[in-house]
Amino acid sequence: MFALVDCNNFYASCERAFQPQLREKPIAILSNNDGCVISRSNEAKTLGLPMGAPAFKYKQFFKENGIHVFSSNYPLYGDMSNRVMNTLFRFTPDVEVYSIDEAFLKFEGFENYNFDAYGKQIRDTVLQWTGIPISIGIAPTKALAKVANKIAKKFNKETGGVYLIDSDEKRIKALRWMEIEAVWGIGRGNAKRLLVKNVKTAFEFTQLSDAWVKSNLAIIGLRLKKDLEGKPTLELEDYDKNKKVIATTRSFEYTFSDIDNIKERISTFAGSCAEKLRKQHSSCNMVIIMLRSDRHKKDSPQHRGSIAIPLPYATDSTLVITNYAIQAVETLFKPGIKYKRAGVIVSELIPTNRKQLHLFSNENPKHAPLMKAMDVLNTKYGNKIKIANQDLDRTWKMRQEHLSPRYTTNINDIIEVK
């Protein structure tokens, strides 16, 4: 059997765990730089607050409806996520951390367990130990566990937050209820293709022929169909703490129309990516640069562009990555455009200790000890060492006007009990 554990309104629940007076109150969490709404409590959804709502447009809406607004507190959310996941490992050794607020569990050798009772025990333990409410769907396959989880969350009072699909009758009833657009792994494109074929529910999807599904949705679609039929084809994936792609994307504090300012920002973002690479002992083979104008200024000329640059060799050097990033800016930049956002992404990552050496083009061997020395000094003294094309007096800081304390990751923010 498989279970999908999903934290309910995770970001809002993290805030409530330390501010219980906010329970049953509407909460909205804003994105980086307090840009737009990225998470809502059920109460905020009921009031009609849309996902992605621009914060500056909804200030009056927040005030009129008594919505408690918070800036994203990722150190807190990440730490609370680790606490939830570590708790789940106590109930089975087979856990796939699927996202910051979701995990798949596999119960192998649990044949004699009462899964309904076991699910409620998991839910109660996580709530007691972390303060985070969760919903659990349990079924013979991962895809069905996803369906069961949606039922547990949708009908929380009736199910107690835990729903078990343990019979074909329950499976069929659940699949008839599940709309095809909401099925895990279908996606918008495939959903449109299936709707044209008059497939509106997950159950109708399972009634299609294997040959048609494989031909139109490829082998992944066929595996999903088998999973929904109760035949396990999707197994747990090994959890890898190292990221496959590393990105630093930011909105500027002002719009920039001169290339020198943009080069300085891109240089800083590239340095941040390189530092993250070294922390996880990875090197990249490609650098992607993005530039965006201010889309809210409709009267100004608009430009959105990106460019991917394959590197001649895998690297984690700030000097090399920054050099190629600056070259990309010179290609992308258009005079007369007021740029508001930029980003650097490093991809095609490999472990640094497995880098393939090249006969004619290799990194300067002095870079590795230099980067190591920079990292040691920056860790000790707080990012004081920068490369020459960065502004030494400039530190980018997110707008976080509604930031809550970092209760679990900052000694100065720990709650004092009197």
Side-chain angles (χ1 to χ4, degrees):
M1 297 290 278
F2 291 84
L4 176 69
V5 174
D6 186 11
C7 300
N8 300 342
N9 306 129
F10 179 59
Y11 292 172
S13 294
C14 288
E15 301 292 350
R16 284 173 170 163
F18 299 94
Q19 301 185 65
Q21 72 274 16
L22 295 178
R23 291 173 186 169
E24 300 182 2
K25 300 290 178 64
I27 294 175
I29 310 297
L30 304 181
S31 63
N32 283 343
N33 231 17
D34 288 351
C36 62
V37 175
I38 59 169
S39 181
R40 308 157 294 163
S41 66
N42 289 335
E43 295 80 7
K45 295 175 186 176
T46 302
L47 290 170
L49 179 64
M51 181 68 88
F56 75 96
K57 286 186 177 181
Y58 277 78
K59 280 186 177 180
Q60 191 62 30
F61 185 87
F62 295 149
K63 186 176 180 180
E64 290 175 354
N65 291 278
I67 297 175
H68 299 266
V69 180
F70 291 93
S71 303
S72 298
N73 191 340
Y74 292 119
L76 174 65
Y77 305 154
D79 184 68
M80 294 301 289
S81 174
N82 287 335
R83 293 174 185 232
V84 171
M85 301 310 166
N86 287 335
T87 304
L88 296 179
F89 273 103
R90 297 180 66 89
F91 293 93
T92 174
D94 299 317
V95 177
E96 175 193 338
V97 180
Y98 188 65
S99 68
I100 193 171
D101 62 347
E102 285 182 289
F104 282 104
L105 281 60
K106 185 176 182 180
F107 301 111
E108 199 163 8
F110 287 67
E111 287 79 9
N112 297 322
Y113 272 63
N114 180 331
F115 284 108
D116 190 57
Y118 200 53
K120 286 182 169 58
Q121 182 185 346
I122 295 172
R123 188 175 188 270
D124 292 344
T125 303
V126 171
L127 181 62
Q128 182 180 0
W129 289 12
T130 68
I132 303 297
I134 62 174
S135 297
I136 304 177
I138 304 174
T141 70
K142 287 178 74 174
L144 285 174
K146 264 279 190 181
V147 175
N149 182 273
K150 287 185 180 292
I151 294 172
K153 183 169 285 191
K154 178 75 174 178
F155 306 101
N156 184 64
K157 290 183 179 178
E158 295 84 351
T159 63
V162 178
Y163 189 71
L164 171 65
I165 296 178
D166 57 354
S167 68
D168 210 44
E169 182 182 357
K170 282 187 175 182
R171 179 186 69 85
I172 293 172
K173 184 179 180 181
L175 295 183
R176 288 187 189 278
W177 170 81
M178 175 69 70
E179 295 179 352
I180 191 63
E181 300 97 323
V183 174
W184 176 56
I186 286 294
R188 290 183 183 179
N190 288 334
K192 289 179 180 178
R193 190 178 292 115
L194 290 165
L195 287 171
V196 170
K197 199 169 173 61
N198 205 33
V199 173
K200 299 178 181 179
T201 67
F203 178 74
E204 291 170 345
F205 172 63
T206 62
Q207 301 307 295
L208 296 173
S209 70
D210 289 354
W212 188 93
V213 173
K214 186 176 181 180
S215 175
N216 290 272
L217 306 185
I219 190 66
I220 295 175
L222 181 58
R223 288 174 182 166
L224 176 60
K225 177 178 180 289
K226 294 296 182 184
D227 235 50
L228 292 172
E229 290 172 351
K231 303 166 186 174
T233 55
L234 305 173
E235 288 295 325
L236 296 190
E237 296 181 7
D238 292 334
Y239 174 58
D240 184 358
K241 65 179 180 180
N242 288 344
K243 296 180 178 179
K244 307 301 182 185
V245 172
I246 291 175
T248 300
T249 60
R250 300 281 188 269
S251 293
F252 304 143
E253 56 268 47
Y254 311 105
T255 54
F256 294 141
S257 55
D258 61 301
I259 194 170
D260 290 335
N261 257 314
I262 294 174
K263 281 183 176 180
E264 192 280 330
R265 292 290 80 195
I266 286 292
S267 175
T268 298
F269 299 166
S272 174
C273 287
E275 184 179 351
K276 293 174 185 176
L277 278 173
R278 296 192 292 274
K279 281 185 178 179
Q280 71 171 42
H281 308 292
S282 296
S283 293
C284 69
N285 284 283
M286 181 173 288
V287 178
I288 302 169
I289 309 301
M290 301 182 296
L291 285 180
R292 302 285 186 269
S293 56
D294 190 346
R295 61 187 177 87
H296 295 296
K297 295 185 177 179
K298 305 295 184 183
D299 298 332
S300 300
Q302 299 290 313
H303 176 232
R304 294 165 58 92
S306 64
I307 186 171
I309 301 182
L311 303 181
Y313 46 80
T315 183
D316 62 2
S317 168
T318 297
L319 300 177
V320 175
I321 293 172
T322 299
N323 183 44
Y324 281 97
I326 293 299
Q327 291 178 32
V329 170
E330 293 172 347
T331 302
L332 278 176
F333 178 80
K334 289 188 176 182
I337 301 292
K338 294 182 177 179
Y339 290 99
K340 181 61 177 176
R341 187 174 180 85
V344 178
I345 302 172
V346 292
S347 63
E348 297 186 16
L349 309 189
I350 61 169
T352 298
N353 59 5
R354 298 181 196 169
K355 286 197 295 187
Q356 177 68 49
L357 298 178
H358 293 258
L359 185 60
F360 299 108
S361 59
N362 278 304
E363 189 170 276
N364 188 326
K366 295 181 180 179
H367 283 202
L370 175 60
M371 294 301 106
K372 185 176 180 180
M374 279 181 60
D375 291 340
V376 169
L377 291 171
N378 283 333
T379 299
K380 187 173 182 180
Y381 297 108
N383 294 321
K384 298 296 184 183
I385 309 298
K386 299 182 180 181
I387 59 177
N389 58 2
Q390 292 178 243
D391 188 336
L392 298 177
D393 298 320
R394 188 175 188 177
T395 301
W396 184 86
K397 188 176 182 180
M398 284 193 295
R399 185 189 301 120
Q400 294 180 306
E401 296 175 355
H402 310 281
L403 186 64
S404 58
R406 291 169 290 175
Y407 300 101
T408 64
T409 61
N410 189 318
I411 191 68
N412 297 316
D413 291 339
I414 291 178
I415 293 176
E416 294 183 6
V417 180
K418 296 183 180 179

